Amino acid sequence: MEAAQPDTVIAPSLLAADFARLAEAGARVADDVDWLHVDVMDNHFVPNLTIGPPVVKSLKAATDVPLDCHLMIEDPERWAVGYAELGAYNVTFHAEASADPVTLAKRLRAAGAKAGLAIDRDTPVEEYLDLLPEFDTLLIMTIKAGFGGQSFIPEMLEKVRTARNHARGGHLELRIEVDGGIADDTIAAAAEAGADSFVAGTAVFGADDPAEACRRLRALAEAAR
């Protein structure tokens, strides 16, 4: 039986960690997080190039923390299911890159993963609201996808509010995840808007004590929610 997930999910982004020590970075925060966020970029859908299946396979063998794979790639229909087969807990692909998001979500679930849909900065969320019952997670970018360390864009929280209000109409179990510029001074606003899952990179792995940074972010989000 799958373990129950907490009301608030903290998912530090390994994009901000030392790539030579990813497993070690994950271990440093393992007791204080719910997921490890893995940013997969292909230098096509976004102009950055990061990691792929071999690294995810190694991470899966090195940690018991569920892996939250965020695919910023072209042609997710070709590649996404492979991450589920490697044991990723949640596989999120971009709406902008997918020809048939619902069918891909069903394939991910059949392969044993949760299915997530990501919405980039310049994409309206409204046209995807009716698809949300097919997904476990909606990831709303609060920056432009592609690089870490960008500043949080507060206007993106209107998408969070819209999605949360829609989910209250019948998809209460939907996770709404925010990614980009999440830190001590932004997480409360995201939680108040309706987010319940939070990706934080620099705020965690740029801190002197990453585990304490995660505990602090959780406390701020829970107080705001």
Side-chain angles (χ1 to χ4, degrees), residues 5-6 8-12 29-30 32-36 65-67 218:
Q5 289 292 310
T8 299
V9 166
I10 300 298
V29 298
D32 296 288
V33 305
D34 308 289
W35 303 342
L36 289 174
V65 180
L67 299 182
R218 187 187 302 279

Side-chain angles (χ1 to χ4, degrees), residues 141-153:
M141 296 300 300
T142 43
I143 58 171
K144 176 65 177 172
F147 290 92
Q150 299 180 56
S151 297
F152 179 81
I153 304 172

